[in-house]
Amino acid sequence: MTSNVETSTLEKEERLQRIKVGAFFATVAGISAFVGFGATLSTVKKADPKYFSKGLHGNPELADAGVILALRALGWGTLYAITGTTCLCYGVWKLSGAKDLKDFRQKIGNILPILPRNNPPQSRTEFSGLNDLMTYLSEEYGKNSVKDK
């Protein structure tokens, strides 16, 4: 009896965790879209503030001004990107025949190549800053390209 209660509690906790993860990713995606759209608008406004303000007020003689076309293209592009990505992900999900996320993970894990473990690490894992990392990467890239030839 206690194992059923424990299983039920674990399933509820797992479901709650999935909901939290989904909410987190939805929030990150929403904030990213908002920031991207805002950054695009500010760039357009800085580039040509006169036509930007005229285009926003609906001046009929400037109905097809560059700002209006850019905003329309941005809107349609966003719609196409979200729709396309959603359809692609849903199609992969359905083609895999998975019933839930665990099943999908196992099926995709069987298809994809296995990455070798790096335990213990064969190279540096700690860097003092971005410059140190970039220097290390450039030196390692040079060593690997010489070995390949």
Side-chain angles (χ1 to χ4, degrees), residues 35-89:
V35 169
F37 190 76
T40 304
L41 281 179
S42 70
T43 303
V44 169
K45 188 174 183 179
K46 285 179 186 175
D48 202 352
K50 176 183 165 191
Y51 285 114
F52 182 82
S53 62
K54 285 183 180 180
L56 287 180
H57 296 300
N59 190 344
E61 63 192 42
L62 294 174
D64 287 333
V67 173
I68 299 296
L69 292 174
L71 289 174
R72 191 179 309 148
L74 180 63
W76 281 108
T78 302
L79 177 71
Y80 289 150
I82 291 171
T83 304
T85 303
T86 303
C87 290
L88 178 70
C89 292

